[in-house]
Amino acid sequence: MSMLKGANLPVQAQAVRVELGWRSGPGVPDVDASALLLVSGKVRSDADFVFYNQPAHASGAVRHEGKKTGADGVTDTLAVDLARVEPAVERIVLAASADGGSFGRVPGLRVRVLDATSGAEIARYESQDATVETAFLLGELYRRQGSWKFRAVGQGYGSGLTGLATDFGISVDDGPAPRTAPVAPAPAPPAPVRPASVRSEPVRPEPVRPTRPAAPPAPPVPAPAAAVPVRLSKVTLTKDAPSVSLAKQGGTSGAMRVNLNWQTRKQFRGWGAKLGRAVANHSDLDLDLCALYELSDGRKGVVQALGNAFGAIHQPPYIHLDGDDRTGAVSSGENLTINLDHKDRLRRIVIFVTIYEGARSFADLDATVTLQPQHGAPIDFALGECTVPSTVCSLALITNTGSDLVVQREARFLVPERGVSPQRTIDYAYGWGMNWTPGRK
């Protein structure tokens, strides 16, 4: 049952998962979960704010794990290890923000607290009265006499995530500072005018007395480094706005993580339902995140789990596959990392996903792709619904224009010809011209 606003419940688990959920659909804004770790009602620094641009707290106690789509709608999840929360932290505020609209247009808004070990539901709060709010404080985990409890809050903010974060002491970067006109230097004072020559009596010089040497000047004290405000911006690619410049988003250096998070629907629709049987077997569906690359010196290759071609991050191809999620059960999905410090050596990259086994198509699969530059705003997009018998999908094309890297949303479901592998199908579609041989993992 949903808790009433202001009600509280004890939390016995040592670690919990906090699921922010809602029902998606046409005209429904995207929603993001965040957490603020508070001491005396405020954050100690901007590092106590966990959200999509800052997905992990330094203590390891709170992590933003990202979104998944299922039969009940969309969830954005925070993992909270209560045993690792620093003793000074009294409350963990659990918030939501709407991107592209107000919460009055978000159906089924709710927050659930689950035991991270057993998956059992500990608490649930469903918002019923949202209207024009663009940010919501849904609940909070707080200490009481040495134990943790959860309280349903339900407080809305019309000023969005910026207003909510600012209220708790976060310094927010609202964009570049306005440019000001240069100030002309003040004119130098006029030189003193010497009076006309005047005779005077000679002046005897005073005897010079010995003095102690002056003490050496104290070394300058360095000024404290200015804190960098938190950037709340993010980019969602759509069919109407499918590309973005990494340079404009600040993503020009460091590591960029490319994440694929997927989940199969319980109810099959579209052409897959007409087959009269499940297209995907949920227990053994194995998707592979891959990348075709072309370097500036003309070398080409592939990064994929097949053949253990996991790549390398500090040497060519400067792309590395973290692992192989064979079930979709890994909360972080599958990840590629691209080293943007060597972006000048990258000419183009096609990021794609294949079905290795467990299904004959991407039909009834929900997937979200997120590109997270280390020093820039995250870029995400949904794949959409597959309406063809596809086993390979190109996700994104990253192109070096000479002065920038441009990310292009592809979301192309391709149908391999008989006897042609998914990898060769991607090769043909993008003109890579590589030779392929059968392989297994």
Side-chain angles (χ1 to χ4, degrees):
M1 292 180 61
S2 176
M3 299 171 62
L4 296 176
K5 188 182 297 188
N8 62 76
L9 288 171
V11 177
Q12 304 292 346
Q14 292 294 302
V16 297
R17 289 168 56 83
V18 180
E19 288 188 353
L20 168 68
W22 68 98
R23 294 193 303 275
S24 185
V28 175
D30 191 24
V31 179
D32 296 290
S34 58
L36 299 102
L37 288 75
L38 306 183
V39 176
S40 300
K42 297 284 186 179
V43 297
R44 295 164 296 182
S45 72
D46 293 350
D48 284 342
F49 186 28
V50 177
F51 69 121
Y52 48 77
N53 269 3
Q54 196 164 262
H57 191 261
S59 67
V62 184
R63 300 188 316 277
H64 178 244
E65 295 194 335
K67 296 175 184 174
K68 284 193 173 183
T69 303
D72 297 331
V74 186
T75 57
D76 197 9
T77 302
L78 296 160
V80 183
D81 188 342
L82 296 172
R84 297 179 67 177
V85 177
E86 298 153 295
V89 175
E90 303 156 354
R91 297 161 55 204
I92 302 175
V93 168
L94 308 169
S97 57
D99 185 16
S102 67
F103 276 107
R105 295 164 50 192
V106 179
L109 182 65
R110 64 193 181 278
V111 62
R112 296 200 306 153
V113 180
L114 309 175
D115 187 315
T117 303
S118 67
E121 183 176 281
I122 299 171
R124 171 193 288 258
Y125 170 65
E126 298 174 353
S127 174
Q128 304 288 345
D129 52 1
T131 55
V132 299
E133 300 88 348
T134 50
F136 241 93
L137 198 165
L138 288 169
E140 61 182 11
L141 295 162
Y142 65 99
R143 297 184 197 262
R144 180 59 55 87
Q145 298 178 347
S147 299
W148 285 95
K149 304 185 81 172
F150 172 78
R151 178 186 290 117
V153 178
Q155 177 184 346
Y157 285 75
S159 51
L161 187 58
T162 299
L164 185 149
T166 303
D167 276 2
F168 287 105
I170 300 291
S171 55
V172 175
D173 181 5
D174 288 326
R179 300 182 64 179
T180 57
V183 178
V193 179
R194 285 180 174 271
S197 178
V198 178
R199 287 181 174 273
S200 61
E201 293 294 323
V203 179
R204 295 177 178 271
E206 291 286 335
V208 177
R209 299 172 181 264
T211 59
R212 293 183 180 181
V221 178
V228 178
V230 171
R231 297 184 63 184
L232 300 184
S233 59
K234 69 171 185 173
V235 179
T236 298
L237 301 181
T238 64
K239 291 181 180 179
D240 296 330
S243 63
V244 66
S245 157
L246 279 182
K248 290 181 179 178
Q249 299 304 318
T252 57
S253 62
M256 179 171 71
R257 189 181 75 162
V258 182
N259 172 261
L260 172 69
N261 218 315
W262 56 271
Q263 184 170 331
T264 51
R265 306 185 188 102
K266 294 182 179 180
Q267 300 297 323
F268 293 93
R269 302 190 298 271
W271 73 271
K274 297 177 183 178
L275 296 178
R277 56 186 180 277
V279 176
N281 300 314
H282 304 284
S283 61
D284 60 5
L285 177 59
D286 182 7
L287 302 185
D288 283 343
L289 183 63
C290 316
L292 282 178
Y293 63 84
E294 180 181 2
L295 304 182
S296 57
D297 60 9
R299 283 181 289 174
K300 298 177 181 178
V302 64
V303 174
Q304 60 179 5
L306 192 66
N308 294 321
F310 287 95
I313 193 66
H314 296 298
Q315 61 188 32
Y318 309 108
I319 306 169
H320 181 252
L321 177 64
D322 295 2
D324 182 22
D325 178 10
R326 295 191 171 218
T327 65
V330 178
S331 60
S332 60
E334 291 206 359
N335 300 283
L336 280 165
T337 304
I338 301 173
N339 190 342
L340 297 181
D341 291 335
H342 296 279
K343 60 182 180 296
D344 293 341
R345 301 191 184 185
L346 302 170
R347 181 172 294 168
R348 57 178 180 152
I349 304 169
V350 173
I351 301 167
F352 65 100
V353 59
T354 69
I355 296 177
Y356 182 68
E357 60 185 12
R360 295 190 301 279
S361 172
F362 284 109
D364 299 293
L365 174 78
D366 284 307
T368 302
V369 181
T370 303
L371 291 81
Q372 176 64 74
Q374 185 174 345
H375 303 296
I379 302 163
D380 62 16
F381 59 89
L383 287 189
E385 188 170 349
C386 176
T387 58
V388 294
S390 169
T391 56
V392 58
C393 177
S394 62
L395 306 177
L397 172 64
I398 303 175
T399 306
N400 191 332
T401 65
S403 59
D404 191 9
L405 289 180
V406 174
V407 177
Q408 171 84 24
R409 175 187 184 271
E410 296 291 290
R412 292 174 58 188
F413 293 102
L414 304 176
V415 182
E417 298 178 2
R418 181 181 295 274
V420 178
S421 68
Q423 289 83 353
R424 192 186 296 268
T425 300
I426 285 284
D427 186 314
Y428 288 167
Y430 289 89
W432 237 255
M434 292 171 53
N435 295 319
W436 297 91
T437 57
R440 293 195 65 82
K441 61 178 180 177

